């Protein structure tokens, strides 16, 4: 799928969207020489019969060549069934331009609503956020559709809803909508059948298509076709005997001329090779004396070869090596034109994005989604020069001091998290009078006392650390160089709040019931989740008090491990650990139940097509991205595994950011088998259920192993369960069907379907794990979630971009698989975020040019960030959290990397 965060271009017009006028890539021209002047200055290549011709590129720029022919146009050659398979933003941009051209030329026929929606996304991509006067002026001078004035009102209405959407997001939406249209990627070739009836032939990833007018009347799938050939003007399709029976095994169509027939045959050969074969065929050996028939072979990489590269997570640029394969020059729709003088132009085309093309998203003021934003702009945050950074005051070097400082930093974050409920959410519900008095009492009478306690606790820790860092006599004598006494005193006090913590189960349940029952509360709840201060799903903040006890337990355990038994702080730390261990033991079962309920309610808000996901007894197990084999080939789907069923969904094209359920499979009677060899698809496995059989592929072999292990475990648990999973499904799943095709059939109607369902759903926060898994082709289990909430971190870090010089000091919070960035710890909401799923952590290499201590490097594809910790302790703590994968069976390899980075082999 597409990139998640990073840098984006300033895109005022299609022509300027590429950043600079000079294209990048490999070129055979001399420095300072352009294509036109090079050809003009080469008399050997210029003849009297040559004409200056223009080639219009997809971004509407024009190249001039002296050549015999007509106007040549750069066009898309292969249309993938799922634009999510296009990894590069620039590639998706070019495909979106092709859709724009097809709309203007009436190739992409669709309803008025769909046409208006497509144009609105193109407007957002090209001119930015809605401005009625600017929109109308732009539509006057730019013709997206024939007779677009007739639906101008609809276009403006749709564009008004795209505020904050980046050009990259707009391109993706254009492709998502277009791919569901029947005429997507269709190029007609006029023909007639044996009876002389006029028809149109076309080819797609599925096979050869037959149209009468604009209506598809037949599809010959590649699996049914045995041979394609042509004889003069006759195009022949030979089918497998089991398809056609013993009679008509060869279908015949008549085209206008031999050249047209041969061209269509060549296009079919290329489509079949690209979408169907694993490797491109080798060229035939040349005949010694004479030859018969065509020796034409497709010469580019196949789709499956590209998949192998992408799924093996190599850091290659897909666009750079299949540019020649997926784009072509043509003088007539569907007919390729080959010419040796085009080679330099093909090589000169951009193969990727260099820094000159890029601009920071925050700096451009575009987009509000933390998932789609960079960490921060170079202009933001506190810049620190190297000399100033080295002049920091000297702090104690004892490890106990840094552990105490971690308690302080995480306590600051925790108190801010409590304020999301006690201050901000309270204010929202009181302002709208949206919450019943009984629920107000239940919620705030339980959390207010805890909040007040931690305010006092934080002050104590701040005072102790201030003395520990100071230069008083007490500091010299070591009277304040400890934290155990503060922790013991406050853990004993916190023990008195156990009864409040035990009521959080009831609070979470009643709040969820009330939001379903009361429309006003539901509206306030959803609107509050969109505020910047609510940087996580709202109900996760209600779990923080119990989770914080787990943090105390881990931190105190580290202190006790650090001290010797004779240390003056050891006894207090050990007793404080004992107190908090008693509390966590009492609340452990409740926390597991609450975390599961919280996850189910979060998914309930983000899935379309299920009414009661929180049914009693249902447990969440894993969520993540897999590729499902459908009639259109491999399609990206989001899968959700529960203790009684497996759901698979696709991401909607509406502004709500939700996932629509395509199918559900009960675990009862399910069987899972690896099927990589059978389907010749990497990391592929088959899921057999009573309802249907589906074939899916994971992004890596590791991901496949995770899914198969969890599926088999869940199937075994379902066998032992006394509850009937089918009853749960009947009570909860709305979209019931035993027909695989009906679940997977996508059409133009999907764009406007489930309108009532969408209206009552909110635009969900885009950095929840399900959305990150979707974009990063990965998965997360409930075990991962539970471990992650116990290992949170806060503190100041220095941050540097790959191509920047200075460092920025930022307050960083690591929670829920994500880094959240603030200018200071006093800020109410994060400035940006960086989801870490899929990122690799390593130490800088020599080429990075960083000669500093305690620096680590985060990288996902081309996105690279450097972070510098203030001490060896902080550096090791961060690495411990980052490099330790959550899957226990991988921890040995991760620990080796951790030791290597910490120079502790």
């Amino acid at each position: 799928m597409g990139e998640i965060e990073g840098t984006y271009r300033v895109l005022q017009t299609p022509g300027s969207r590429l950043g600079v006028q000079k294209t990048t890539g490999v070129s055979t021209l001399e420095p300072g020489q352009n294509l036109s002047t090079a050809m003009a200055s080469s008399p050997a290549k210029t003849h009297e019969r040559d004409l200056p011709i223009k080639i219009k590129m997809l971004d509407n720029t024009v190249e001039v060549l002296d050549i015999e022919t007509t106007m040549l146009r750069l066009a898309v050659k292969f249309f993938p069934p799922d634009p999510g398979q296009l990894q590069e933003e620039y590639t998706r941009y070019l495909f979106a331009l092709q859709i724009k051209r097809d709309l203007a030329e009436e190739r992409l026929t669709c309803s008025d609503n769909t046409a208006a929606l497509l144009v609105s996304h193109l407007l957002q991509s090209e001119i930015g956020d809605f401005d009625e006067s600017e929109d109308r002026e732009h539509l006057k001078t730019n013709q997206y559709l024939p007779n677009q004035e007739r639906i101008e009102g609809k276009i403006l209405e749709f564009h008004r809803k795209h505020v904050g959407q980046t050009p990259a997001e707009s391109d993706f939406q254009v492709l998502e909508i277009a791919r569901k249209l029947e005429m997507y990627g269709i190029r007609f070739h006029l023909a007639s059948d044996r009876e002389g009836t006029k028809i149109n032939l076309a080819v797609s990833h599925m096979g050869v298509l037959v149209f009468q007018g604009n209506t598809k009347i037949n599809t010959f799938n590649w699996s049914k076709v045995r041979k394609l050939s042509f004889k003069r003007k006759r195009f022949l399709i030979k089918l497998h005997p089991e398809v056609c029976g013993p009679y008509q095994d060869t279908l015949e169509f008549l085209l206008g001329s031999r050249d047209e027939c041969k061209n269509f045959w060549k296009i079919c050969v290329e489509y079949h090779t690209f979408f169907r074969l694993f490797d491109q065929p080798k060229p035939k050996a040349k005949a010694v004396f004479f030859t018969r028939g065509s020796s034409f072979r497709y010469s580019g990489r196949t789709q499956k070869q590209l998949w192998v590269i992408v799924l093996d997570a190599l850091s290659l640029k897909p666009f750079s090596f299949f540019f020649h394969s997926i784009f072509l020059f043509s003088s007539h729709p569907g007919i390729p034109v080959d010419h040796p003088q085009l080679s330099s132009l093909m090589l000169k085309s951009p193969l990727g994005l260099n820094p000159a093309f890029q601009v920071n998203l925050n700096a451009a003021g575009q987009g509000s989604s933390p998932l789609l934003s960079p960490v921060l702009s170079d202009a933001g945050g506190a810049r620190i020069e190297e000399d100033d950074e080295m002049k920091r005051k000297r702090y104690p070097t004892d490890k106990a001091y840094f552990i105490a400082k971690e308690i302080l930093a995480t306590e600051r974050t925790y108190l801010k998290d409590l304020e999301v409920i006690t201050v901000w959410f309270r204010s929202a519900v009181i302002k709208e009078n949206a919450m019943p008095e009984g629920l107000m009492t239940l919620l705030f009478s339980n959390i207010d006392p805890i909040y007040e306690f931690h305010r006092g606790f934080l002050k104590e820790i701040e005072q102790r650390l201030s003395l520990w860092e100071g230069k008083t006599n007490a500091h010299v004598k070591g009277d304040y160089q400890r934290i155990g006494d503060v922790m013991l005193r406050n853990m004993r006090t916190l023990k008195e709040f156990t009864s409040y913590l035990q009521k959080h189960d009831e609070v979470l349940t009643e709040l969820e019931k009330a939001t379903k029952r009361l429309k006003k509360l539901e509206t306030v709840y959803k609107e509050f989740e969109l505020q910047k201060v609510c940087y996580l799903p709202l109900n996760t903040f209600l779990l923080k008090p119990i989770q914080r006890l787990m943090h105390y337990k881990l931190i105190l355990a580290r202190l006790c491990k650090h001290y010797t038994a004779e240390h003056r702080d050891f006894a207090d730390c050990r007793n404080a650990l004992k107190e908090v261990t008693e509390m966590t033991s009492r609340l452990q079962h409740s926390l597991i139940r609450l975390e599961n309920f919280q996850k189910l309610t979060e998914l309930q808000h983000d899935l379309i097509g299920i009414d009661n996901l929180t049914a009693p007894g249902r447990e969440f197990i894993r969520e993540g991205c897999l590729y499902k084999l459908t009639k259109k080939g491999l399609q990206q789907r989001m899968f959700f595994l529960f203790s009684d069923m497996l759901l698979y969904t696709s991401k909607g094209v509406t502004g709500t950011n939700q996932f629509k359920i395509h199918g559900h499979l009960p675990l009862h009677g399910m069987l899972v088998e690896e099927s990589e060899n059978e389907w010749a698809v990497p990391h592929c496995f088959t899921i057999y259920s009573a309802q249907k059989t589906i074939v899916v592929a994971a992004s890596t072999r590791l991901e496949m192993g995770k899914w198969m292990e969890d599926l088999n475990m869940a199937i075994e648990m379902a066998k032992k369960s006394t509850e009937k999973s089918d009853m749960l499904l009947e009570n909860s799943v709305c979209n019931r069907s035993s027909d695989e095709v009906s679940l997977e059939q996508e059409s133009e109607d999907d764009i406007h379907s489930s309108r009532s369902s969408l209206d009552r759903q909110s635009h969900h926060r885009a950095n929840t794990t399900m959305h990150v898994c979707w974009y990063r082709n990965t998965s997360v289990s409930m075990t991962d979630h539970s471990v992650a909430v116990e290992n949170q971190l806060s503190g100041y870090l220095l941050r540097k971009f790959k191509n920047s010089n200075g460092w920025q000091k930022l307050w960083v919070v690591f929670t829920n698989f994500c880094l959240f960035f603030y200018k200071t710890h006093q800020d109410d909401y994060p400035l940006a975020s960086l989801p870490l799923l899929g990122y690799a952590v390593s130490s800088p290499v020599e080429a990075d040019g960083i000669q500093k201590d305690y620096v680590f490097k985060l990288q996902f594809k081309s996105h690279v960030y450097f972070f510098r910790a203030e001490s060896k302790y902080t550096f090791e703590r961060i690495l411990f959290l980052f490099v330790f994968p959550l899957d226990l069976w991988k921890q040995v390899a991760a620990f080796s990397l951790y030791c290597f980075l910490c120079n502790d082999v």
Side-chain angles (χ1 to χ4, degrees):
M1 274 301 301
E3 306 298 342
I4 307 306
E5 74 300 311
T7 50
Y8 290 80
R9 304 171 300 282
V10 176
L11 309 173
Q12 293 85 5
T13 66
S16 67
R17 180 165 183 178
L18 302 186
V20 292
Q21 292 300 315
K22 183 178 178 181
T23 53
T24 61
V26 181
S27 175
T28 58
L29 302 179
E30 296 296 325
Q33 190 178 35
N34 62 38
L35 191 61
S36 303
T37 58
M39 297 188 68
S41 63
S42 179
K45 296 183 180 179
T46 306
H47 305 282
E48 291 182 0
R49 293 184 301 168
D50 289 350
L51 295 174
I53 62 102
K54 300 177 180 179
I55 299 178
K56 182 179 285 188
M57 310 297 281
L58 280 171
D59 67 344
N60 291 333
T61 59
V62 174
E63 290 283 356
V64 181
L65 294 177
D66 288 327
I67 195 172
E68 294 184 11
T69 184
T70 56
M71 168 73 83
L72 301 181
R73 305 196 307 174
L74 181 67
V76 169
K77 186 174 186 178
F78 297 124
F79 287 82
D82 184 355
Q85 297 174 1
L86 302 174
Q87 296 292 310
E88 289 290 335
E89 178 197 328
Y90 184 57
T91 312
R92 293 194 298 272
Y93 165 58
L94 292 177
F95 270 78
L97 289 179
Q98 182 66 63
I99 299 302
K100 176 184 175 182
R101 179 188 286 175
D102 288 354
L103 276 175
E105 295 176 353
E106 296 186 275
R107 284 187 183 177
L108 191 64
T109 55
C110 55
S111 68
D112 286 351
N113 272 349
T114 302
L117 185 58
L118 283 166
V119 173
S120 70
H121 283 297
L122 290 169
L123 278 177
Q124 180 69 20
S125 175
E126 294 177 4
I127 67 175
D129 289 344
F130 174 79
D131 180 285
E132 185 168 353
S133 60
E134 186 179 347
D135 278 25
R136 293 188 185 277
E137 188 63 32
H138 184 81
L139 290 173
K140 282 181 184 178
T141 56
N142 293 271
Q143 197 72 18
Y144 292 90
L145 300 165
N147 303 317
Q148 72 184 19
E149 297 80 9
R150 182 169 52 85
I151 61 170
E152 185 173 303
K154 288 184 179 179
I155 295 172
L156 299 179
E157 180 184 346
F158 281 125
H159 188 202
R160 190 190 306 271
K161 299 176 182 178
H162 304 330
V163 173
Q165 187 169 286
T166 67
E169 291 173 306
S170 299
D171 292 343
F172 186 83
Q173 295 296 340
V174 167
L175 297 178
E176 269 293 303
I177 297 166
R179 75 177 177 91
K180 298 181 181 180
L181 302 176
E182 190 166 60
M183 300 304 291
Y184 166 70
I186 296 300
R187 300 293 181 259
F188 282 157
H189 298 259
L190 300 178
S192 58
D193 60 15
R194 282 181 172 176
E195 287 74 34
T197 304
K198 296 296 181 183
I199 58 169
N200 292 311
L201 294 178
V203 62
S204 74
H205 65 282
M206 297 172 61
V208 180
L209 315 176
V210 183
F211 287 79
Q212 200 159 39
N214 286 335
T215 304
K216 184 167 65 176
I217 59 175
N218 212 338
T219 301
F220 299 104
N221 288 329
W222 298 125
S223 60
K224 300 176 183 178
V225 176
R226 185 158 61 93
K227 184 179 180 181
L228 294 174
S229 61
F230 70 97
K231 292 181 180 179
R232 296 183 177 87
K233 297 193 295 183
R234 291 182 299 148
F235 179 74
L236 307 172
I237 303 176
K238 186 166 286 190
L239 303 174
H240 287 290
E242 60 269 22
V243 175
C244 58
Y247 302 105
Q248 183 185 6
D249 68 336
T250 302
L251 301 170
E252 183 177 308
F253 301 94
L254 192 68
L255 279 82
S257 67
R258 180 187 180 279
D259 286 346
E260 289 181 30
C261 192
K262 183 177 181 179
N263 273 320
F264 182 63
W265 171 78
K266 289 171 70 174
I267 293 169
C268 290
V269 169
E270 292 183 319
Y271 260 78
H272 177 267
T273 305
F274 183 78
F275 286 107
R276 188 75 175 170
L277 300 187
F278 191 85
D279 296 305
Q280 69 264 40
K282 296 179 180 178
K284 276 187 177 180
K286 291 186 178 180
V288 178
F289 298 106
F290 59 88
T291 182
R292 181 181 178 186
S294 173
S295 61
F296 172 76
R297 292 291 184 274
Y298 171 68
S299 60
R301 279 184 169 90
T302 66
Q303 179 182 238
K304 287 187 179 179
Q305 285 177 316
L306 300 178
W307 269 110
V308 170
I309 293 172
V310 173
L311 295 178
D312 284 345
L314 297 177
S315 58
L316 297 176
K317 294 286 187 183
F319 179 79
S320 65
F321 53 69
F322 67 57
F323 180 86
H324 183 74
S325 301
I326 61 174
F327 295 98
L328 76 157
F329 287 97
S330 65
S331 58
H332 186 275
I335 302 179
V337 176
D338 297 317
H339 196 286
Q341 291 185 9
L342 295 178
S343 60
S344 63
L345 182 61
M346 294 294 286
L347 289 171
K348 186 169 174 278
S349 298
L351 304 185
L353 296 176
N354 68 18
F357 284 82
Q358 301 173 346
V359 65
N360 215 292
L361 180 63
N362 278 17
Q366 297 172 338
S368 58
S369 167
L371 184 61
L372 297 168
S373 67
V375 184
L376 279 176
S377 68
D378 268 335
R383 290 298 293 264
I384 297 180
E385 298 301 328
E386 295 298 329
D387 292 340
D388 293 338
E389 194 273 326
M390 296 304 295
K391 293 177 182 177
R392 291 174 298 174
K393 60 186 286 190
R394 294 173 180 261
Y395 290 119
T397 56
D398 182 22
K399 186 176 180 179
Y401 162 77
F402 290 107
I403 295 177
K405 195 170 182 180
E406 181 181 338
I407 296 173
L408 170 62
T410 52
E411 190 71 15
R412 283 171 171 166
T413 296
Y414 171 57
L415 199 65
K416 284 288 184 182
D417 287 344
L418 291 182
E419 287 176 357
V420 173
I421 301 292
T422 61
V423 178
W424 298 95
F425 185 58
R426 187 205 306 266
S427 175
V429 294
I430 289 177
K431 180 180 178 182
E432 300 296 329
N433 192 24
M435 186 178 287
E437 187 176 344
L439 182 57
M440 286 278 289
T441 302
L442 177 64
L443 171 58
F444 295 110
S445 66
N446 273 281
I447 201 167
D448 283 347
I450 295 172
Y451 170 65
E452 289 302 323
F453 162 76
H454 283 282
R455 287 181 65 188
F457 183 26
L458 176 60
K459 288 178 180 178
E460 279 195 60
I461 302 174
E462 288 175 336
Q463 290 170 359
R464 176 55 57 89
L465 265 293
S466 176
L467 291 170
W468 201 331
E469 296 167 354
K471 295 182 178 180
T472 63
N473 290 332
H475 168 74
V476 174
K477 293 177 182 178
D479 292 342
Y480 294 108
Q481 292 182 339
R482 57 194 177 115
I483 195 67
D485 59 328
V486 176
M487 295 301 295
L488 176 59
R489 184 165 57 252
N490 283 278
M491 291 306 102
R492 284 173 174 167
T493 306
L494 189 57
K495 204 171 182 180
E496 300 171 8
F497 292 93
T498 304
S499 60
Y500 293 105
L501 296 173
Q502 289 172 331
K503 287 188 179 180
H504 274 59
D505 197 336
E506 181 184 358
V507 171
L508 205 61
T509 304
E510 291 303 315
L511 181 60
E512 180 64 18
K513 287 180 181 177
T515 53
K516 288 182 178 179
R517 188 177 71 252
L518 303 171
K519 182 67 177 177
K520 182 183 284 189
L521 179 58
E522 180 190 33
T523 302
V524 171
Y525 188 107
K526 291 175 179 178
E527 288 178 352
F528 181 76
E529 277 201 321
L530 295 179
Q531 294 184 24
K532 293 179 180 179
V533 71
C534 188
Y535 66 100
L536 298 172
L538 177 59
N539 55 11
T540 61
F541 293 100
L542 291 171
L543 272 62
K544 294 288 184 178
I546 303 180
Q547 291 169 346
R548 185 58 175 158
L549 294 179
M550 306 297 175
H551 303 165
Y552 292 144
K553 180 180 175 182
L554 292 172
I555 293 174
L556 284 166
R558 272 189 280 121
L559 264 175
C560 291
K561 185 177 179 181
H562 166 66
Y563 287 136
T564 62
E566 296 77 23
H567 195 282
R568 63 195 302 271
D569 203 26
F570 176 76
D572 285 342
C573 286
R574 182 184 55 189
N575 290 331
L577 177 60
K578 182 180 178 181
E579 296 286 349
V580 77
T581 300
E582 288 181 13
M583 286 188 280
T584 56
S585 298
R586 256 186 262 169
L587 295 167
Q588 181 67 42
H589 182 71
S590 178
L591 178 60
I592 294 172
R593 187 173 62 253
L594 283 171
E595 288 177 345
N596 181 68
F597 182 77
Q598 183 277 322
K599 186 61 185 177
L600 292 177
T601 54
E602 178 187 317
L603 295 177
Q604 179 76 74
H605 296 165
D606 222 7
L607 296 180
I608 299 175
I610 188 163
D611 284 341
N612 186 20
L613 195 60
T614 57
R618 178 170 292 143
E619 294 180 14
F620 167 76
I621 298 175
R622 180 173 290 277
E623 62 183 340
C625 175
L626 293 171
Y627 289 87
K628 182 178 179 293
L629 194 61
T630 71
K631 289 188 174 182
K632 290 187 176 183
L634 287 171
Q635 299 276 308
Q636 188 178 8
R637 295 286 180 261
M638 191 70 184
F639 280 72
F640 300 91
L641 175 61
F642 303 92
S643 57
D644 61 320
M645 64 177 176
L646 177 68
L647 299 180
Y648 55 93
T649 68
S650 65
K651 198 169 190 298
V653 298
T654 64
T656 60
N657 232 356
Q658 293 164 292
F659 288 82
K660 180 181 177 182
I661 294 175
H662 277 252
H664 63 274
L665 305 175
L667 296 189
H668 183 70
M670 183 180 285
L671 179 66
V672 182
E673 287 183 352
E674 186 175 343
S675 53
E676 206 170 35
N677 295 332
E678 179 182 352
W679 294 95
V681 176
H683 325 309
C684 172
F685 58 99
T686 304
I687 301 172
Y688 303 91
S689 78
Q691 285 186 333
K692 68 191 71 176
T693 298
I694 63 172
V695 180
V696 295
S699 58
T700 63
R701 188 156 193 84
L702 174 62
E703 277 294 307
M704 181 182 76
K706 292 179 185 179
W707 275 107
M708 292 187 67
E709 182 180 0
D710 279 357
L711 277 165
N712 285 321
M713 177 270 294
I715 292 168
E716 287 301 313
M717 288 175 59
K719 284 181 185 177
K720 300 173 184 177
S721 174
T722 55
E723 297 178 5
K724 301 222 175 165
S725 57
D726 289 341
M727 291 178 61
L728 285 175
L729 288 173
E730 289 175 4
N731 291 332
S732 60
V733 178
C734 301
N735 298 347
R736 292 187 56 81
S737 172
S738 60
D739 183 5
E740 167 103 30
V741 176
S742 66
L743 285 173
E744 285 298 292
Q745 194 75 32
E746 292 181 279
S747 67
E748 178 182 353
D749 295 335
D750 284 346
I751 300 165
H752 309 289
S753 65
S754 303
R755 181 63 59 191
S756 60
S757 176
L758 293 178
D759 288 342
R760 60 186 173 83
Q761 299 282 357
S762 68
H763 184 297
H764 205 61
R765 189 166 294 282
N767 64 353
T768 53
T769 51
M770 66 157 60
H771 293 87
V772 181
C773 287
W774 172 264
Y775 287 107
R776 301 275 170 81
N777 289 341
T778 188
S779 66
V780 173
S781 70
M782 191 66 222
T783 304
D784 298 340
H785 282 283
S786 298
V787 174
V789 296
E790 293 180 8
N791 291 279
Q792 302 187 15
L793 204 61
S794 303
Y796 283 102
L797 288 176
L798 301 178
R799 196 284 324 274
K800 177 180 149 357
F801 288 117
K802 180 170 60 175
N803 297 317
S804 64
N805 294 321
W807 294 80
Q808 294 172 279
K809 187 176 182 181
L810 301 167
W811 176 258
V812 182
V813 174
F814 174 49
T815 184
N816 291 51
F817 312 102
C818 194
L819 292 179
F820 294 93
F821 299 91
Y822 305 74
K823 285 187 178 180
T824 72
H825 68 83
Q826 297 171 328
D827 292 353
D828 290 323
Y829 56 84
L831 301 173
S833 63
L834 177 63
L836 293 180
L837 291 176
Y839 266 81
V841 61
S842 64
S843 56
V845 296
E846 186 176 347
D848 295 323
I850 296 178
Q851 306 297 326
K852 299 292 178 184
D853 295 330
Y854 315 137
V855 175
F856 61 95
K857 178 180 181 180
L858 288 178
Q859 182 167 6
F860 175 76
K861 296 185 178 179
S862 61
H863 305 292
V864 179
Y865 306 101
F866 298 98
F867 293 93
R868 186 179 178 192
E870 65 177 358
S871 65
K872 182 180 179 182
Y873 170 82
T874 308
F875 175 72
E876 291 179 353
R877 279 289 293 138
I878 293 170
L879 285 180
F880 182 85
L881 297 181
F882 283 6
V883 308
F884 257 65
L886 299 172
D887 301 274
L888 299 178
W889 57 283
K890 286 188 63 187
Q891 286 192 0
V892 174
F895 184 70
S896 299
L897 173 61
Y898 166 68
C899 291
F900 172 75
L901 293 175
C902 295
N903 297 316
D904 191 22
V905 180

